Amino acid sequence: FINQQQIQRIRMHSITDVNKPLWDQSTFWGRLRHFAWLTDPRSVFASRAKLEASRDLILACRSGAVDPRTVPEAELIRAKQLFESAYHPDSGELQNLVGRMSFQVPGGMALTGALMAFYRTTAQVVFWQWVNQSFNALVNYTNRNANSGITSQQLMIAYTSATGSAIAVSLGLKAFLAKRAPPFAQRFVPFVAVAAANLVNLPLMRQAELLQGVQVKDENGNQVGTSRYAACKGIGQVVTSRITIAAPGMLVTPFIMDRLETARWFARRRAVLDAPLQTLFIGSFLLFMVPTGCAIFPQNSSVSLQQLKRFDEPEYAKLKARGYSDGQKLYFNKGL
């Protein structure tokens, strides 16, 4: 996962505190490097035993049972990478493989490639939108702020609503464009459906956060309350990130494929090459866009008491009564 040259570059950052990221998270470049490292798709091949060993080492360092300075640098960095890519930052639970952000490139390229290749018939649209939204629902649930609970009934309503909305948008837009636009325009139906579904899927899968609020902490990491406005802000940021991740591949690939289809060699082999090539193009975009989308906003997002005064007055009143000032910032995990 990490070679000696990368370790040498990381050495300028302190790794004596395993709770801190290796790169400065206050800058986009630092976050981009962090998420490129965290979402490395090769980490999905790590065995359960390796993941558990990495967890045990990091937790031992956190508790003080092991001094990080006594652990070989490469071993500590690899353990930190595996632990943070596979275990939820709030609950500490091992995330399911499909829902991990490190699975976004292989999983996303396969499903998005299928969405882009199979859009011509109603059956294809319904099936692949259902599969894709099932995948998205699992990813959204896995990467939620785990301090807010959600019932099985809420999960089922969220899942069916998000899947239904994606299928409805796909079929409606496909029918609309079939009568009013050239066939090429229909290539963009999957992106519009994915964007629309994200607007529905994420808030519904994380509705407990919107209803109950998420934990907000002070600069020392102490929990000081819960805020529904913080939940709204975090989910809005994640929706923006998810659409940003999908946009380049799903908007550029149709132009590439349209150009390829004019080539005689491709026309003769279209049935065989269409889906694999679109999947390859989508995967190439996702390799860069997954960390880029995740890096747009800080993982530990912030709200000020002044914002709570405007959008979450009950929580603001509680914090003011405890002596917090209007200019003070509070922090929360926005999820991924």
Side-chain angles (χ1 to χ4, degrees):
F1 296 99
I2 290 183
N3 57 39
Q4 290 300 318
Q5 187 178 10
Q6 290 172 308
I7 291 173
Q8 189 64 36
R9 290 200 298 266
I10 289 171
R11 279 197 173 117
M12 68 182 69
H13 306 278
S14 171
I15 57 170
T16 56
D17 185 350
V18 295
N19 293 310
K20 293 182 178 179
L22 298 175
W23 295 276
D24 181 8
Q25 296 300 284
S26 65
T27 67
F28 173 77
W29 177 240
R31 294 194 297 272
L32 179 62
R33 296 178 72 184
H34 170 73
F35 282 108
W37 173 77
L38 190 66
T39 62
D40 186 335
R42 292 173 295 177
S43 65
V44 301
F45 298 106
S47 66
R48 179 69 175 264
K50 183 66 176 177
L51 293 177
E52 291 178 350
S54 299
R55 176 202 60 194
D56 293 343
L57 174 58
I58 296 302
L59 293 182
C61 290
R62 286 181 175 179
S63 68
V66 172
D67 185 344
R69 292 170 295 185
T70 66
V71 182
E73 208 164 31
E75 180 183 344
L76 183 60
I77 293 172
R78 183 173 297 182
K80 182 176 172 65
Q81 182 186 37
L82 291 178
F83 175 75
E84 293 185 6
S85 69
Y87 289 86
H88 197 284
D90 293 330
S91 66
E93 296 178 354
L94 180 64
Q95 298 173 315
N96 67 82
L97 178 65
V98 176
R100 297 175 200 167
M101 292 306 293
S102 54
F103 191 76
Q104 283 296 287
V105 172
M109 69 183 287
L111 287 174
T112 308
L115 283 173
M116 301 295 290
F118 305 114
Y119 66 92
R120 292 178 175 84
T121 70
T122 299
Q124 288 176 342
V125 170
V126 171
F127 176 76
W128 286 109
Q129 284 295 341
W130 168 69
V131 173
N132 187 56
Q133 289 311 311
S134 298
F135 173 73
N136 285 341
L138 183 57
V139 173
N140 293 337
Y141 177 75
T142 302
N143 293 281
R144 73 199 186 284
N145 184 309
N147 291 315
S148 301
I150 184 170
T151 66
S152 298
Q153 183 179 10
Q154 289 172 325
L155 273 176
M156 185 55 63
I157 293 173
Y159 169 70
T160 54
S161 300
T163 304
S165 66
I167 293 173
V169 168
S170 298
L171 295 178
L173 189 58
K174 179 176 171 61
F176 177 84
L177 292 176
K179 298 177 182 178
R180 297 171 176 83
F184 176 70
Q186 294 188 38
R187 288 183 180 273
F188 299 98
V189 170
F191 172 70
V192 177
V194 166
N198 267 309
L199 293 171
V200 176
N201 199 323
L202 261 162
L204 285 173
M205 291 302 294
R206 296 173 58 176
Q207 61 185 282
E209 298 173 40
L210 297 172
L211 296 172
Q212 304 167 15
V214 295
Q215 292 182 1
V216 290
K217 301 179 181 180
D218 60 21
E219 62 275 10
N220 298 317
N222 301 310
Q223 182 186 345
V224 297
T226 57
S227 170
R228 288 187 291 179
Y229 169 69
C232 290
K233 182 176 181 179
I235 290 173
Q237 290 176 342
V238 175
V239 168
T240 302
S241 295
R242 294 289 183 82
I243 294 175
T244 301
I245 289 171
M250 299 188 78
L251 293 178
V252 175
T253 299
F255 290 99
I256 298 175
M257 297 305 298
D258 189 59
R259 187 63 180 266
L260 280 176
E261 287 171 4
T262 63
R264 188 175 302 174
W265 66 268
F266 181 82
R268 291 197 301 264
R269 302 173 178 83
R270 178 173 176 174
V272 176
L273 295 178
D274 192 34
L277 278 179
Q278 295 208 58
T279 301
L280 179 62
F281 293 144
I282 291 293
S284 300
F285 280 105
L286 287 178
L287 195 61
F288 296 98
M289 290 310 302
V290 168
T292 300
C294 291
I296 294 174
F297 304 104
Q299 183 62 39
N300 287 315
S301 192
S302 64
V303 292
S304 67
L305 257 70
Q306 193 65 37
Q307 290 174 316
L308 294 183
K309 181 179 182 180
R310 184 176 179 183
F311 299 108
D312 196 347
E313 194 169 351
E315 189 61 28
Y316 169 78
K318 293 177 186 177
L319 292 169
K320 285 294 289 185
R322 295 171 59 184
Y324 289 92
S325 61
D326 284 357
Q328 188 162 354
K329 284 191 173 183
L330 301 174
Y331 301 88
F332 63 95
N333 174 23
K334 70 174 178 62
L336 281 173

